[in-house]
């Protein structure tokens, strides 16, 4: 594991979070690295993070250990907690005491479970990219005589991870679009081949051949490209068989 220098993230640590697409890492790997690294900040006993969809629903999570996993999962299951609030308001919550009356009123069920687990305070930092909130990083503080977490340092980690997550999503989207375009092009090519073959086979125009292909596909509720492939690859037993000699 890449070390932290004096409790602060070094350049390699930040780059490891931000350059996930270069290493072909998925978002699960980025979240896990973020949780593991954040748990080693001074004042942090455990860490967890969540990734949210556009509607605010949690779609993925990771944690540094069982404590972080349990407390992060509790927030998702209960639908309450500092991580969910941070995703909604897009602002960090720093060193929030779990035993404070206001906290117990704000997140009654989560606060009770956190205190039972030995957590005295929670810091939550948004995973932000440009004007979007991608999720949140939870830093759980225990009963030991630990200094308050450096929010600016934790936010550096969260921001670096957000860059990696956003670029990973962009790359996946580009690849998906490329695949769709390639499929569409392949379909167009096979349809053009089928039109030419069918026009020659039936001694009709290319437009009439296309109408025959389209009518056959619609009447049987199958894809036009599939009909075209049958014409091209199975000229004897396809939908429009060639005349036998």
């Amino acid at each position: 594991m890449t070390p932290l220098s004096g409790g602060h993230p070094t350049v390699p640590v930040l780059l490891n979070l931000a350059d996930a697409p270069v290493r072909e890492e998925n978002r699960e790997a980025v979240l896990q690295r973020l949780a593991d690294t954040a748990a080693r900040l001074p004042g942090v006993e455990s860490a967890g993070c969540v990734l949210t969809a556009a509607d605010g629903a949690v779609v993925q999570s990771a944690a540094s250990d069982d404590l972080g996993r349990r407390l992060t999962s509790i927030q998702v299951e209960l639908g309450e907690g500092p991580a969910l609030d941070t995703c909604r308001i897009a602002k960090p919550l720093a060193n929030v005491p779990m035993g404070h009356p206001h906290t117990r009123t704000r997140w009654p069920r989560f606060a009770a479970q956190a205190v039972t687990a030995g957590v005295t305070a929670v810091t939550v930092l948004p995973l932000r990219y440009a004007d979007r909130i991608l999720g949140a990083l939870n830093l759980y503080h225990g009963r030991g005589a630990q200094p308050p977490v450096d929010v600016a340092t934790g936010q550096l980690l969260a921001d670096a991870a957000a860059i990696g997550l956003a670029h990973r999503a962009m790359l996946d989207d580009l690849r998906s679009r490329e695949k769709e375009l390639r499929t569409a092009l392949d379909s167009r090519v096979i349809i053009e081949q089928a039109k030419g073959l069918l026009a020659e086979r039936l001694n009709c125009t290319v437009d009439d051949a296309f109408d025959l292909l389209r009518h056959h596909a619609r009447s049987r509720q199958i894809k036009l490209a599939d009909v075209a492939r049958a014409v091209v690859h199975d000229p004897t037993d396809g939908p429009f068989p060639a005349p036998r000699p």
Side-chain angles (χ1 to χ4, degrees):
M1 186 179 293
T2 308
L4 300 181
S5 177
H8 296 283
T10 61
V11 170
V13 169
L14 297 175
L15 288 177
N16 278 338
L17 291 167
D19 69 354
V22 176
R23 297 192 305 275
E24 293 293 326
E25 287 188 340
N26 58 25
R27 62 189 188 185
E28 181 181 2
V30 178
L31 290 175
Q32 188 60 58
R33 180 178 287 107
L34 173 60
D36 291 341
T37 304
R40 298 165 55 238
L41 291 171
V44 177
E45 181 171 332
S46 181
C49 45
V50 296
L51 190 67
T52 55
D55 61 359
V58 175
V59 295
Q60 201 156 9
S61 64
S64 61
D65 54 18
D66 289 340
L67 174 62
R69 191 172 299 109
R70 185 165 71 253
L71 292 177
T72 301
S73 296
I74 286 172
Q75 296 186 66
V76 178
E77 294 168 4
L78 296 179
E80 72 171 44
L84 304 184
D85 280 10
T86 290
C87 290
R88 189 183 69 256
I89 65 177
K91 293 181 179 179
L93 298 172
N95 299 297
V96 181
M98 289 293 99
H100 194 279
H102 175 70
T103 304
R104 290 182 176 273
T105 300
R106 187 175 184 180
W107 309 304
R109 293 174 295 175
F110 170 76
Q113 300 238 27
V115 170
T116 300
V119 172
T120 57
V122 174
T123 293
V124 188
L125 308 169
L127 300 180
R128 57 195 181 191
Y129 181 80
D131 59 346
R132 292 183 294 148
I133 298 301
L134 308 181
L137 169 63
N138 299 267
L139 305 176
Y140 302 108
H141 316 304
R143 291 194 178 93
Q146 298 175 321
V149 69
D150 183 346
V151 174
T153 298
Q155 191 65 65
L156 273 177
L157 292 175
D159 288 346
I163 292 172
L165 290 166
H167 289 181
R168 175 78 259 175
M170 291 177 189
L171 181 60
D172 290 343
D173 183 60
L174 287 174
R175 287 176 173 172
S176 177
R177 289 173 182 269
E178 180 185 9
K179 183 178 180 181
E180 290 174 0
L181 288 173
R182 189 182 301 114
T183 299
L185 179 60
D186 291 345
S187 296
R188 187 62 186 174
V189 169
I190 198 71
I191 290 171
E192 292 298 322
Q193 290 177 338
K195 284 164 58 178
L197 288 172
L198 195 56
E200 180 181 2
R201 185 180 302 169
L202 301 181
N203 193 25
C204 64
T205 67
V206 173
D207 289 342
D208 288 340
F210 180 68
D211 287 340
L212 287 171
L213 290 169
R214 184 168 53 186
H215 176 73
H216 187 86
R218 287 177 176 175
S219 63
R220 288 161 177 77
Q221 296 185 334
I222 57 179
K223 294 180 179 179
L224 179 59
D226 291 340
V227 177
R229 288 188 185 92
V231 170
V232 173
H233 299 303
D234 195 1
T236 302
D237 299 322
F240 305 99
R244 295 181 183 276

